[in-house]
Coordinates of all heavy atoms in Angstrom, one line a residue:
T1 N 84.1 96.5 102.9 CA 85.0 97.3 103.7 C 85.9 98.1 102.7 O 86.5 97.5 101.8 CB 85.9 96.5 104.7 OG1 86.5 95.5 104.0 CG2 85.0 96.0 105.8
I2 N 85.9 99.4 102.9 CA 86.6 100.2 101.9 C 87.6 101.1 102.7 O 87.2 101.7 103.7 CB 85.6 101.1 101.1 CG1 84.6 100.2 100.3 CG2 86.3 102.1 100.2 CD1 83.4 100.8 99.7
A3 N 88.8 101.2 102.2 CA 89.8 102.2 102.7 C 89.9 103.4 101.8 O 89.9 103.2 100.5 CB 91.1 101.5 102.8
L4 N 89.9 104.6 102.3 CA 90.1 105.8 101.5 C 91.5 106.3 101.9 O 91.9 106.3 103.1 CB 89.1 106.9 101.9 CG 87.8 106.8 101.3 CD1 86.9 105.9 102.1 CD2 87.2 108.1 101.1
T5 N 92.3 106.6 100.9 CA 93.6 107.1 101.2 C 93.6 108.5 101.8 O 92.6 109.2 101.6 CB 94.5 107.2 99.9 OG1 93.9 108.1 99.0 CG2 94.6 105.8 99.2
R6 N 94.7 108.8 102.5 CA 94.9 110.2 102.9 C 95.0 111.1 101.7 O 95.4 110.6 100.6 CB 96.1 110.3 103.8 CG 96.0 109.6 105.1 CD 97.2 109.7 106.0 NE 98.4 110.4 105.5 CZ 99.6 110.2 106.1 NH1 99.8 109.4 107.1 NH2 100.7 110.8 105.6
P7 N 94.7 112.4 101.9 CA 94.9 113.3 100.7 C 96.3 113.5 100.3 O 96.6 113.8 99.2 CB 94.2 114.6 101.2 CG 94.0 114.5 102.6 CD 94.1 113.0 103.0
D8 N 97.3 113.3 101.2 CA 98.7 113.5 100.9 C 99.3 112.2 100.5 O 98.8 111.1 100.7 CB 99.4 114.1 102.1 CG 99.4 113.1 103.3 OD1 98.3 112.5 103.6 OD2 100.4 113.0 104.0
F9 N 100.5 112.2 99.8 CA 101.3 111.1 99.5 C 102.3 110.9 100.7 O 102.8 111.8 101.2 CB 102.0 111.3 98.2 CG 101.1 111.4 97.0 CD1 100.6 112.6 96.6 CD2 100.7 110.2 96.3 CE1 99.8 112.7 95.5 CE2 99.8 110.3 95.3 CZ 99.4 111.6 94.8
F10 N 102.5 109.6 101.0 CA 103.4 109.4 102.1 C 104.3 108.1 101.9 O 103.9 107.3 101.0 CB 102.7 109.3 103.4 CG 101.6 108.2 103.5 CD1 101.9 106.9 104.0 CD2 100.3 108.5 103.0 CE1 100.9 106.0 104.0 CE2 99.4 107.5 103.1 CZ 99.7 106.3 103.6
P11 N 105.4 107.9 102.5 CA 106.2 106.8 102.3 C 105.5 105.4 102.5 O 104.7 105.3 103.5 CB 107.4 106.9 103.3 CG 107.4 108.4 103.6 CD 106.0 108.8 103.5
R12 N 105.8 104.5 101.7 CA 105.2 103.1 101.8 C 103.7 103.0 101.6 O 103.1 102.0 101.9 CB 105.7 102.5 103.1 CG 107.2 102.4 103.3 CD 107.6 101.6 104.5 NE 107.0 100.3 104.7 CZ 106.1 100.0 105.6 NH1 105.8 100.8 106.6 NH2 105.6 98.8 105.7
E13 N 103.1 104.1 101.0 CA 101.7 104.1 100.8 C 101.3 102.9 99.9 O 100.3 102.2 100.2 CB 101.2 105.4 100.2 CG 99.7 105.5 100.0 CD 99.3 106.9 99.6 OE1 100.1 107.7 99.2 OE2 98.1 107.2 99.8
S14 N 102.0 102.7 98.8 CA 101.6 101.5 97.9 C 101.7 100.2 98.7 O 100.8 99.3 98.5 CB 102.5 101.5 96.7 OG 103.8 101.4 97.0
E15 N 102.7 100.0 99.5 CA 102.8 98.8 100.3 C 101.6 98.6 101.3 O 101.1 97.5 101.4 CB 104.1 98.8 101.1 CG 105.4 98.7 100.2 CD 106.6 98.9 101.1 OE1 106.7 98.4 102.2 OE2 107.6 99.6 100.6
I16 N 101.2 99.7 101.9 CA 100.1 99.6 102.8 C 98.8 99.2 102.0 O 98.0 98.4 102.5 CB 99.9 100.9 103.6 CG1 101.1 101.1 104.5 CG2 98.6 101.0 104.4 CD1 101.2 102.5 105.2
I17 N 98.6 99.9 100.9 CA 97.4 99.5 100.1 C 97.5 98.1 99.7 O 96.4 97.4 99.8 CB 97.4 100.5 98.8 CG1 97.1 101.9 99.2 CG2 96.4 99.9 97.8 CD1 97.2 102.9 98.2
E18 N 98.6 97.6 99.2 CA 98.7 96.2 98.8 C 98.4 95.3 100.0 O 97.8 94.2 99.9 CB 100.1 95.9 98.2 CG 100.3 96.4 96.8 CD 101.6 96.1 96.3 OE1 102.5 95.4 97.0 OE2 101.9 96.4 95.1
G19 N 99.0 95.6 101.2 CA 98.8 94.8 102.4 C 97.3 94.8 102.8 O 96.8 93.7 103.2
L20 N 96.6 95.9 102.7 CA 95.2 95.9 103.0 C 94.4 95.0 102.1 O 93.5 94.2 102.5 CB 94.6 97.3 103.0 CG 95.1 98.2 104.1 CD1 94.6 99.7 103.8 CD2 94.5 97.8 105.4
L21 N 94.7 95.1 100.8 CA 94.0 94.3 99.8 C 94.3 92.8 99.9 O 93.4 91.9 99.8 CB 94.2 94.8 98.4 CG 93.5 96.2 98.1 CD1 94.1 96.8 96.8 CD2 92.0 96.0 98.1
S22 N 95.6 92.5 100.0 CA 96.0 91.1 100.0 C 95.6 90.4 101.3 O 95.3 89.2 101.3 CB 97.5 90.9 99.9 OG 98.2 91.5 101.0
S23 N 95.4 91.1 102.4 CA 95.0 90.5 103.7 C 93.5 90.2 103.7 O 93.0 89.5 104.6 CB 95.3 91.4 104.8 OG 94.5 92.6 104.8
G24 N 92.7 90.8 102.8 CA 91.3 90.7 102.8 C 90.6 91.6 103.8 O 89.4 91.6 104.0
K25 N 91.4 92.5 104.4 CA 90.8 93.5 105.3 C 89.9 94.5 104.7 O 89.0 95.0 105.3 CB 91.9 94.2 106.1 CG 92.7 93.4 107.1 CD 93.7 94.2 107.8 CE 94.5 93.3 108.8 NZ 95.6 94.0 109.4
V26 N 90.2 94.8 103.4 CA 89.3 95.7 102.6 C 88.9 95.1 101.3 O 89.7 94.3 100.7 CB 90.0 97.1 102.4 CG1 90.3 97.7 103.7 CG2 91.2 97.0 101.5
S27 N 87.8 95.5 100.8 CA 87.3 95.1 99.5 C 87.8 95.9 98.4 O 88.1 95.4 97.3 CB 85.7 95.2 99.5 OG 85.2 94.6 100.7
F28 N 87.9 97.2 98.7 CA 88.4 98.2 97.7 C 89.2 99.3 98.4 O 89.0 99.5 99.6 CB 87.2 98.9 97.0 CG 86.3 98.1 96.2 CD1 85.1 97.7 96.7 CD2 86.7 97.6 95.0 CE1 84.3 96.8 96.0 CE2 85.9 96.8 94.2 CZ 84.7 96.4 94.7
V29 N 90.1 99.9 97.7 CA 90.8 101.1 98.2 C 90.4 102.3 97.2 O 90.6 102.2 96.0 CB 92.3 100.9 98.2 CG1 93.0 102.3 98.5 CG2 92.7 99.9 99.2
H30 N 89.9 103.3 97.8 CA 89.6 104.5 97.0 C 90.8 105.4 97.1 O 91.2 105.8 98.2 CB 88.3 105.2 97.6 CG 87.0 104.6 97.2 ND1 86.0 105.4 96.6 CD2 86.6 103.4 97.2 CE1 85.0 104.6 96.4 NE2 85.3 103.4 96.7
I31 N 91.3 105.8 95.9 CA 92.4 106.7 95.9 C 91.9 108.1 95.8 O 91.3 108.5 94.8 CB 93.4 106.4 94.7 CG1 94.0 105.0 94.9 CG2 94.5 107.5 94.6 CD1 94.9 104.5 93.8
R32 N 92.0 108.8 96.9 CA 91.4 110.2 97.0 C 92.6 111.1 97.3 O 93.1 111.2 98.4 CB 90.4 110.2 98.2 CG 89.7 111.5 98.3 CD 88.8 111.5 99.6 NE 88.4 112.8 99.9 CZ 89.1 113.7 100.6 NH1 90.2 113.3 101.1 NH2 88.7 114.9 100.8
K33 N 92.9 111.9 96.3 CA 94.1 112.8 96.4 C 93.7 114.1 95.8 O 94.2 114.5 94.8 CB 95.3 112.2 95.7 CG 95.8 110.9 96.1 CD 96.4 110.9 97.4 CE 97.0 109.6 97.8 NZ 97.6 109.6 99.2
P34 N 92.8 114.9 96.5 CA 92.4 116.2 95.9 C 93.6 117.1 95.8 O 94.5 117.1 96.7 CB 91.4 116.7 97.0 CG 91.6 115.9 98.2 CD 92.2 114.6 97.8
G35 N 93.7 117.7 94.7 CA 94.8 118.6 94.5 C 96.0 118.0 93.8 O 97.0 118.6 93.4

């Protein structure tokens, strides 16, 4: 299970990424920030 980030930066994004990974909900997070 892979989460792709939104293209924009937003508040608490790093916390959400850590939460997804620490919970085991996702295997990887793809940081996709075109531009």
